[in-house]
Amino acid sequence: MDLGLPSGLKWATCNAGATLSSDYGDYMIWSESNTSFDAPWRLPSINDFKELINVCSWKWVIFNDHAGYKITGPNGKSMFLPAGGCFGSVSYGVEKAGDYWTSAVDHSSNELAYGVELSAQNKYIGVFPRNCGYSIRGVLKYLI
């Protein structure tokens, strides 16, 4: 999906394991998320999500019976990030929040990695337990 981002980055139209953009897809722990892509896809970095958050407009909507964000880029094209929640030692947030892994680890702890939590009220980048199952949305590995 080309949203017209300044970096030229292109996002996948669906979460990993989903066939529709509104589906949650597969929930993966952080170690699985890094091996779930074949070329030319990769896990997004923190900076990829920061660009998406800072450059695009975000609107919390219901799409195909699922809550999530319609994200519209500078070129007017949009994509949908569903609120699939988190699954792990505690399950929460389905239809209320969408948790997504980034490629970054927290080097101060072997148990934490960076992720993004999206809810109707907030877009938060922080560290989360690696053993939680989050959705992932790929980005193209190389600019084409």
Side-chain angles (χ1 to χ4, degrees), residues 3-5 52 55-59 69-80:
L3 298 171
L5 297 170
L52 196 67
V55 173
C56 297
S57 65
W58 293 61
K59 183 175 182 183
Y69 272 108
K70 177 183 178 184
I71 302 165
T72 305
N75 65 4
K77 293 181 182 177
S78 62
M79 70 176 192
F80 181 72

Side-chain angles (χ1 to χ4, degrees), residues 3-140:
L3 298 171
L5 297 170
S7 68
L9 187 68
K10 293 173 180 56
W11 287 77
T13 57
C14 298
N15 286 352
T19 55
L20 299 172
S21 63
S22 57
D23 291 344
Y24 309 136
D26 295 331
Y27 297 96
M28 298 179 200
I29 62 173
W30 189 84
S31 62
E32 294 172 327
S33 68
N34 281 300
T35 60
S36 63
F37 293 111
D38 294 323
W41 300 99
R42 66 170 171 80
L43 199 60
S45 69
I46 293 172
N47 287 334
D48 296 338
F49 267 109
K50 284 181 179 178
E51 180 183 45
L52 196 67
I53 290 168
N54 294 327
V55 173
C56 297
S57 65
W58 293 61
K59 183 175 182 183
W60 190 259
V61 299
I62 303 295
F63 177 65
N64 288 346
D65 296 324
H66 292 295
Y69 272 108
K70 177 183 178 184
I71 302 165
T72 305
N75 65 4
K77 293 181 182 177
S78 62
M79 70 176 192
F80 181 72
L81 284 180
C86 164
F87 291 89
S89 56
V90 175
S91 296
Y92 70 92
V94 175
E95 297 296 329
K96 297 191 181 342
D99 296 287
Y100 289 84
W101 285 122
T102 75
S103 60
V105 297
D106 179 0
H107 294 290
S108 68
S109 170
N110 287 333
E111 297 177 10
L112 301 173
Y114 283 87
V116 178
E117 183 174 287
L118 309 170
S119 69
Q121 298 80 28
N122 198 13
K123 295 176 273 306
Y124 171 74
I125 297 172
V127 291
F128 302 97
R130 289 187 191 187
N131 65 349
C132 287
Y134 285 7
S135 298
I136 54 175
R137 179 69 61 104
V139 295
L140 277 177

